């Protein structure tokens, strides 16, 4: 039985077929841009781009810093598709809608997903503007039963009980570190645990302290659902968080965070992230799926 939020295989296929009929590009890599990080798509050559509102079945972006455009193109000879803007649960989308594009990408032939996000840091050693390579995540909505894989399993995509240990590909993480070293930016590159919370409010101090005690390095409002669905259908996954703010953990601290400040910091590191992602994709062995 399918709930009203369930999306059937034919709907993913319909959107994939429409896209395949509109572009000659056949991407192997998909990139999801976090808040203010849409410029990652600017590096793509020979672009075909589509407004989300023109793509059958696609949800719409409602958040500032998420343009709502799907861009196909070439990066150093590798064909990619890039989401300039993602969907969040707090916008009112079901998790099936939040992750809809990922399954469409699978049907387009994508085998590697690169996720990016803006996040607040809990780790004391992190600074604003740091880039965190995601080693692992804690999915708070998921632990509470809000999971995009809920409902009847679609066996054409993957197994009922997918493992999630090692979900962030180790060799891609190592490759990213090497690239950062070559770029001379290692001093602001970290590796850590991302935690998804539901949002849209930023954390209270008590919540921030809880997350800190749990070993969370960075907190945000996205990423985990897309990663689960990508891994479920056999994609390899790489993730980056841009630390746009330090999460307030002290009652003595009068700082507050806001979305505009998040977008400002995203802009500041956009060029570095673009070079890092481009270099990572250029070094990937796309055909046999090994780094
Ligand atoms: O799409 P991401 O996770 O980058 O967006 C973050 C979380 C909220 O949507 C927003 C808060 O500023 O940025």
């Amino acid at each position: 039985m399918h709930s009203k939020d369930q999306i059937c295989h034919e709907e993913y296929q319909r959107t994939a077929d429409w896209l395949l009929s509109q572009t000659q590009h056949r991407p192997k890599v998909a990139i999801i841009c976090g808040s203010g990080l849409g410029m990652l798509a600017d590096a793509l050559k020979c672009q075909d781009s589509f407004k989300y509102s023109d793509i059958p079945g696609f949800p719409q972006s409602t958040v500032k810093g998420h343009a709502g455009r799907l861009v196909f193109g070439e990066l150093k000879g590798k064909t990619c598709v890039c989401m300039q803007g993602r969907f969040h649960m707090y916008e009112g989308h079901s998790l099936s809608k939040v992750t809809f594009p990922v399954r469409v990408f699978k049907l387009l032939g994508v085998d590697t997903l690169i996720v990016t996000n803006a996040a607040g840091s809990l780790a004391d050693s992190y600074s604003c503007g740091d880039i965190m390579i995601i080693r692992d995540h804690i999915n708070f909505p998921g632990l509470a039963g809000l999971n995009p894989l809920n409902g009847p399993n679609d066996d054409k995509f993957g197994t009922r009980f997918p493992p999630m240990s090692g979900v962030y590909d180790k060799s891609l993480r190592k490759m990213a570190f090497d690239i950062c070293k070559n770029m001379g930016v290692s001093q602001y590159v970290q590796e850590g645990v991302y935690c998804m919370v539901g949002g849209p409010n930023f954390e209270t101090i008590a919540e921030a302290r809880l997350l800190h005690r749990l070993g969370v390095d960075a907190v945000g409002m996205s990423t985990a659902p897309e990663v689960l669905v990508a891994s479920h259908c056999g994609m390899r996954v790489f993730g980056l968080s841009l630390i746009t703010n330090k999460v307030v953990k002290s009652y003595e601290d009068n700082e507050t965070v806001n979305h505009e400040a998040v977008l400002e910091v995203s802009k500041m590191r956009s060029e570095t992230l673009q070079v890092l992602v481009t270099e990572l994709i250029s070094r990937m062995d796309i055909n046999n799926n090994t780094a």
Side-chain angles (χ1 to χ4, degrees), residues 33-35 37 63 66 86 88 90 116-119 194 202 220-223 258-259 262:
C33 302
S35 284
L37 299 172
V63 183
H66 292 259
R86 65 146 55 80
H88 307 84
Y90 66 73
T116 65
N117 59 57
Y194 173 86
F202 292 105
M221 306 173 194
S222 68
T223 301
N258 62 70
H259 187 56
V262 165

Side-chain angles (χ1 to χ4, degrees), residues 100-120:
F100 180 81
V102 177
R103 284 186 164 174
V104 170
F105 296 156
K106 177 71 184 177
L107 296 175
L108 296 181
V110 166
D111 60 25
T112 304
L113 178 69
I114 299 178
V115 278
T116 65
N117 59 57

